[in-house]
Amino acid sequence: MSTSSNRTSRDAILGRIRKSLGRAAGEAAPLAVTERLASPKANPVVPMRAQLAHDQQVELFEKMATSVSATVSMVVSDGDIPREVARFLADHNLPARVKTSPDAAVSGLPWSDTALEVSIGIAGAEDAVSVTPSFAGVAETGSLMLRSGASTPYTLNMLPDTHIAVLRVSDIVGTYEEVWARLREKEGHGNMPRTFLWVTGPSRTGDIEQTIQLGAHGPRRLHIVLVDDTKENK
């Protein structure tokens, strides 16, 4: 489909929406909508399981993540991450080759302390294992928030069969709303990344005879390396 056809279809859809709202083309959004976008309000309904002290949120995150077939390990410093990645790959008889995100949080780690073959950049069909940073983790569901960008290519989250995500303990929060608040604070108004990816366990589907199959639309394995930076800061 051509770009002009896409634009025509989009304009037709938006036109029908405007008509249903009683608004003319080019008319500014109501003040209430503008104010809501400028100052988003958190949902006042917060699940009880998310209203916990931070150390309990970390425990809940691990419990919820493992309940959906992810694996979780804890290290005490950034320098321990490469050795934990090497251990995980060896324990699961996986290739000793990884593709890391260009983000210095992972590409700048002491990979030379291991026997792993490490490359940096976007993932291709030949890449079986990726290592990426995570923006945040949500305790109530064990989910990760991953951002796309020049230093965090989206392909690393989706193409490799094994995805290893690094998450700092201090970046675990209770609810999804807290993650959005952190993101707005960090990026500033109008500067959001192009794509966000919420990850809850390995990719799966139950389309075939309602039998769960892992690795349907993305990684078959998700291993989360938690870095206990709360101890580093004490």
Side-chain angles (χ1 to χ4, degrees):
M1 183 179 292
S2 67
T3 302
S4 59
S5 297
N6 286 333
R7 187 177 297 111
T8 299
S9 299
R10 182 192 63 190
D11 292 343
I13 293 170
L14 294 177
R16 289 195 292 271
I17 294 174
R18 281 193 296 269
K19 183 178 180 180
S20 68
L21 295 174
R23 290 172 54 192
E27 182 180 346
L31 180 59
V33 174
T34 303
E35 291 177 345
R36 181 64 183 270
L37 291 174
S39 301
K41 295 181 180 179
N43 187 341
V45 180
V46 179
M48 286 297 296
R49 68 179 183 218
Q51 300 181 40
L52 301 169
H54 188 256
D55 59 338
Q56 293 176 305
Q57 289 180 345
V58 175
E59 292 177 3
L60 178 60
F61 176 86
E62 292 186 64
K63 177 182 177 181
M64 298 304 291
T66 55
S67 72
V68 289
S69 303
T71 54
V72 182
S73 63
M74 179 81 75
V75 298
V76 297
S77 71
D78 289 346
D80 295 325
I81 296 172
R83 288 188 292 274
E84 167 54 26
V85 171
R87 179 207 64 78
F88 178 82
L89 298 181
D91 286 355
H92 292 80
N93 196 31
L94 294 170
R97 298 186 304 276
V98 300
K99 176 67 69 72
T100 77
S101 168
D103 191 307
V106 289
S107 65
L109 295 173
W111 294 104
S112 60
D113 292 348
T114 72
L116 295 175
E117 179 184 331
V118 180
S119 58
I120 302 170
I122 63 174
E126 71 282 1
D127 294 309
V129 181
S130 65
V131 182
T132 72
S134 304
F135 180 76
V138 180
E140 65 170 309
T141 57
S143 302
L144 297 172
M145 149 74 93
L146 308 175
R147 300 183 301 170
S148 69
S151 62
T152 51
Y154 186 84
T155 54
L156 291 171
N157 305 323
M158 300 298 293
L159 288 182
D161 203 43
T162 299
H163 180 198
I164 300 176
V166 176
L167 174 65
R168 294 183 175 278
V169 164
S170 61
D171 289 328
I172 293 177
V173 297
T175 65
Y176 287 87
E177 287 83 0
E178 291 173 81
V179 177
W180 291 120
R182 283 188 171 208
L183 195 61
R184 286 191 289 266
E185 180 180 355
K186 181 177 178 61
E187 300 293 341
H189 184 71
N191 295 318
M192 291 295 186
R194 179 179 181 182
T195 303
F196 308 100
L197 183 64
W198 289 103
V199 172
T200 308
S203 171
R204 68 189 63 217
T205 183
D207 293 345
I208 302 174
E209 297 182 352
Q210 298 184 348
T211 300
I212 295 298
Q213 298 290 330
L214 298 181
H217 311 294
R220 187 185 309 275
R221 301 177 192 85
L222 172 64
H223 183 55
I224 303 169
V225 180
L226 294 180
V227 182
D228 193 354
D229 56 334
T230 58
K231 291 183 179 178
E232 286 184 336
N233 296 331
K234 291 182 180 178

